[in-house]
Amino acid sequence: YNIYNIYNMQVDWLIILVILCVCLKWCSDNKKKETMVNTTVMKVSVNNNKFTIDGQEAPPLTLQQGTETYPKIYLFKLDEAKMGDHVFVLTKGDTDGGSYATEMTEKDGVLNNGVSKGTVSLKVTESTPQTFYYNCAKHKGMGSGIILI
């Protein structure tokens, strides 16, 4: 090898290193975008003694199934001014609300469940029940079912 060949080899390695860094940055940015895309915010309030979600009275919800690697995040943002004494709760089993409802827990992927203000967070993975419900913890007949597809 002469000096010219060694210089060219170093330039080749430098180009490979730059390409690798660009690829790693692209992968990292796309992973962040993927996580952001997997979050859905729904506005929850009360109208005619029914929970409204994004303006619809007690609609049945169909949510997308996520995975442990790429969970789907659903945020139920509660409108404090319109919630009154109603307590939004995600439940297992069709209890139609009321105080005997079996609340979903952090183990089920739910944070801040059973509140009348703030945001209830649902992380949907393979371990999330395929069918569950949203109800009022105090009153019957305010919610509806949720299924995963």
Side-chain angles (χ1 to χ4, degrees):
Y1 291 100
N2 62 32
I3 294 288
Y4 180 75
N5 285 339
I6 292 174
Y7 174 77
N8 280 340
M9 285 180 7
Q10 288 175 342
V11 169
D12 289 344
W13 280 108
L14 182 61
I15 291 171
I16 291 170
L17 183 61
V18 168
I19 290 171
L20 181 61
C21 288
V22 168
C23 289
L24 288 174
K25 174 75 172 134
W26 180 83
C27 289
S28 173
D29 287 349
N30 280 340
K31 186 165 185 147
K32 288 177 189 170
K33 288 177 188 171
E34 175 93 24
T35 302
M36 290 172 50
V37 169
N38 286 333
T39 301
T40 302
V41 177
M42 291 180 257
K43 295 178 184 174
V44 179
S45 64
V46 175
N47 188 34
N48 296 324
N49 282 330
K50 299 274 187 193
F51 280 120
T52 62
I53 299 190
D54 291 335
Q56 296 183 330
E57 280 190 16
L61 299 177
T62 302
L63 307 180
Q64 289 186 333
Q65 180 84 48
T67 65
E68 292 296 330
T69 307
Y70 297 106
K72 301 287 185 182
I73 307 296
Y74 295 92
L75 302 176
F76 296 90
K77 186 171 174 64
L78 309 179
D79 183 346
E80 278 182 60
K82 296 183 180 179
M83 291 297 289
D85 68 337
H86 301 293
V87 177
F88 185 85
V89 62
L90 297 175
T91 62
K92 300 176 190 177
D94 188 9
T95 62
D96 194 28
S99 60
Y100 55 86
T102 305
E103 292 185 22
M104 293 175 71
T105 64
E106 192 172 330
K107 182 180 173 191
D108 301 308
V110 180
L111 298 176
N112 201 35
N113 204 11
V115 296
S116 58
K117 62 181 179 179
T119 301
V120 176
S121 173
L122 171 65
K123 177 181 174 184
V124 178
T125 65
E126 300 97 333
S127 61
T128 306
Q130 293 296 302
T131 303
F132 51 101
Y133 303 85
Y134 67 93
N135 294 296
C136 177
K138 294 182 175 184
H139 308 101
K140 291 186 173 197
M142 292 188 64
S144 191
I146 301 173
I147 60 169
L148 301 180
I149 57 169

